[in-house]
Amino acid sequence: MAFRIEIKRPVSPSDSMAFVGNALPSGAFGKILIKPNWVKHAEHAEFPIEALVTSSQLIEAVIEGCLQKYPDVEKITIADVPLQSCDWHTLCTQAGIDKLELKYSSRSKPQIQFLDLRRERYSLENGFLIKDEEAPGDPLGYAEVRLDERSLLEEVTDSAHLFRVSDYDPEETISSHSKQCHRYLIPKTVLQADLVINLPKMKTHQKSGVTGALKNLVGINGDKSRLVHHRLGFPEKGGDEFSPDVPRIFYWQARLRELLQKRSPALFAFCKKGWEYLKRLRGIKTVGTRENLQSSSFYVGSGSWYGNDSVWRMVYDLHMVLLFAPKDGEKLESSPQRQIFHIMDGIIAGEGNGPLQPLPVHAGVIMASENPFLIDFSMAKLMGYDWKKI
């Protein structure tokens, strides 16, 4: 099967809309899911919202393109699963999502809805995560999808007891991934879509090198604890959390955070003060400003290095889920169950300590393709990376 990629440097919003309208695939679709990157709200002036999440200008262009190209569409849903500590209201205000909601709120045919598909939300207070008991989640609910022996994590399940996701209960992660049993929890809004339009952000990523079309699919999973990001510890013990030259104090800091962040506010606050003192004493930088990134003591952990052999497996698992999972979940089918199209937002890209601390780059690029690898390959080339190392 032949694939193609289109790359455009739009000069105006109308130019973007024309490009998107021409790029969208032909066909008739009842339910369309538009999947942006809404990872988190902006928390620092050097890492603006424009470099952090998918442009609402591009989202609007895709919505308008769908309305013109698919006149019989029943429902268009724009949705993502942000980080558990994302402030949804702040994100909507910063990114202009609230304005899009207002614009399309009166339309009934097709219905256009904007959803936060998280099953759990947490607010961050002094570094401690406090659960929000009123997280709405997917109004259609969730379905489990089993990959079992087809999972790319199966090759490393001898180390399944080391599977970890930062800030999540390791027992929940391990219980979802064992020998010939690998399970993800997918919002039914995703599974019931006939067409998924993936809108990734062009930016760097600590663990996977880049955030692109493939990595953006992490946001189709409703239970973040099932997303294996790394394997605990150092390579000599079967882990890929830290490179061999990282001081052991960072390993123990990660273990304490894992143990206390959702369990004991008082003890967590006490240990956090000690960690902050240690960082000042040793000159450790953890905020990826341009100045800090040039420091030899800039610290990243939790699988954030080139030796991470876990995160890519999870990413490709979710690509298989999106392609082959039936509408009711359960096991993967042998043929594609929905059409997928990818449009990458490189209008303002992000470099540096992505995905949460991206420094803005005015790249002025939009890319479109049926093939997520082609998009990510082209993105890596444009960013100056050797794609073979990602």
Side-chain angles (χ1 to χ4, degrees):
M1 182 177 183
F3 291 100
R4 68 191 183 102
I5 182 169
E6 298 180 43
I7 302 177
K8 176 72 174 177
R9 290 188 179 273
V11 296
S12 67
S14 60
D15 200 18
S16 298
M17 288 189 181
F19 171 75
V20 168
N22 291 329
L24 287 171
S26 299
F29 305 101
K31 295 178 181 178
I32 296 175
L33 172 69
I34 298 173
K35 192 326 192 161
N37 183 325
W38 283 339
V39 61
K40 198 176 183 183
H41 59 283
E43 299 178 288
H44 194 288
E46 284 209 46
F47 319 125
I49 196 70
E50 293 81 8
L52 188 62
V53 302
T54 302
S55 163
S56 289
Q57 173 190 316
L58 180 59
I59 294 172
E60 183 178 9
V62 173
I63 293 172
E64 292 297 324
C66 288
L67 291 174
Q68 294 175 22
K69 198 150 191 173
Y70 314 119
D72 297 324
V73 62
E74 302 165 17
K75 181 185 289 187
I76 299 173
T77 302
I78 305 91
D80 194 15
V81 182
L83 285 181
Q84 58 180 335
S85 58
C86 172
D87 185 314
W88 178 250
H89 176 74
T90 300
L91 171 63
C92 288
T93 303
Q94 290 177 339
I97 301 166
D98 55 349
K99 293 183 176 63
L100 292 181
E101 285 188 282
L102 182 62
K103 176 179 178 177
Y104 295 108
S105 60
S106 60
R107 180 181 283 273
S108 59
K109 189 177 181 181
Q111 178 188 2
I112 299 176
Q113 60 180 351
F114 295 77
L115 297 178
D116 170 4
L117 297 177
R118 286 177 292 179
R119 290 174 71 237
E120 292 185 345
R121 293 181 184 178
Y122 285 80
S123 59
L124 198 61
E125 296 185 13
N126 297 319
F128 188 82
L129 292 169
I130 299 174
K131 189 173 183 179
D132 177 1
E133 300 297 339
E134 298 181 0
D138 189 340
L140 301 182
Y142 301 82
E144 190 168 80
V145 177
R146 301 176 66 102
L147 275 69
D148 296 341
E149 68 281 351
R150 292 178 67 176
S151 170
L152 289 169
L153 288 165
E154 180 64 18
E155 297 176 0
V156 293
T157 45
D158 288 345
S159 302
H161 62 290
L162 302 177
F163 288 165
R164 292 293 187 276
V165 190
S166 295
D167 301 334
Y168 289 87
D169 186 348
E171 293 303 318
E172 294 181 15
T173 306
I174 295 167
S175 68
S176 301
H177 297 283
S178 58
K179 200 70 174 175
Q180 297 185 340
C181 181
H182 299 274
R183 301 168 295 157
Y184 295 91
L185 194 71
I186 309 300
K188 289 184 179 179
T189 291
V190 174
L191 294 174
Q192 293 185 10
D194 303 301
L195 169 66
V196 175
I197 303 174
N198 184 27
L199 302 184
K201 189 72 175 176
M202 181 179 177
K203 60 179 179 176
T204 52
H205 195 286
Q206 286 183 350
K207 296 174 178 61
S208 57
V210 292
T211 292
L214 288 165
K215 182 66 175 64
N216 197 47
L217 299 185
V218 168
I220 68 164
N221 181 82
D223 183 356
K224 297 283 193 182
S225 69
R226 303 190 185 208
L227 300 177
V228 176
H229 278 64
H230 60 269
R231 303 199 292 277
L232 181 147
F234 294 88
E236 65 266 26
K237 298 291 186 179
D240 59 10
E241 182 179 14
F242 296 104
S243 65
D245 59 343
V246 167
R248 266 46 181 177
I249 186 67
F250 297 139
Y251 171 87
W252 291 113
Q253 181 270 339
R255 299 291 72 78
L256 277 173
R257 178 178 175 178
E258 179 182 278
L259 179 67
L260 300 175
Q261 194 171 33
K262 294 179 181 177
R263 293 183 175 91
S264 173
L267 192 53
F268 180 85
F270 175 79
C271 292
K272 188 171 184 291
K273 286 182 180 179
W275 171 239
E276 295 298 330
Y277 174 75
L278 179 64
K279 286 197 297 183
R280 288 195 300 271
L281 187 66
R282 299 184 60 169
I284 298 168
K285 311 292 185 183
T286 55
V287 179
T289 62
R290 293 191 184 277
E291 180 182 1
N292 288 351
L293 286 171
Q294 296 172 359
S295 168
S296 60
S297 58
F298 184 77
Y299 163 73
V300 288
S302 304
S304 301
W305 68 299
Y306 62 85
N308 186 322
D309 186 45
S310 303
V311 70
W312 69 270
R313 300 174 185 275
M314 174 269 290
V315 167
Y316 275 102
D317 273 4
L318 289 170
H319 186 247
M320 283 194 287
V321 166
L322 191 59
L323 270 177
F324 299 115
K327 292 184 183 295
D328 58 354
E330 299 298 330
K331 297 201 73 172
L332 301 184
E333 299 289 349
S334 57
S335 59
Q337 300 298 294
R338 57 195 57 81
Q339 192 160 342
I340 309 170
F341 194 74
H342 311 269
I343 303 175
M344 178 172 288
D345 171 21
I347 300 170
I348 298 179
E351 66 180 3
N353 188 34
L356 300 182
Q357 298 178 355
L359 299 165
V361 177
H362 292 261
V365 171
I366 298 176
M367 294 184 277
S369 179
E370 295 176 277
N371 188 319
F373 174 80
L374 283 183
I375 286 236
D376 289 356
F377 169 85
S378 302
M379 175 185 67
K381 296 283 283 185
L382 285 170
M383 295 173 82
Y385 284 115
D386 179 351
W387 66 273
K388 295 184 292 296
K389 294 181 179 179
I390 301 178

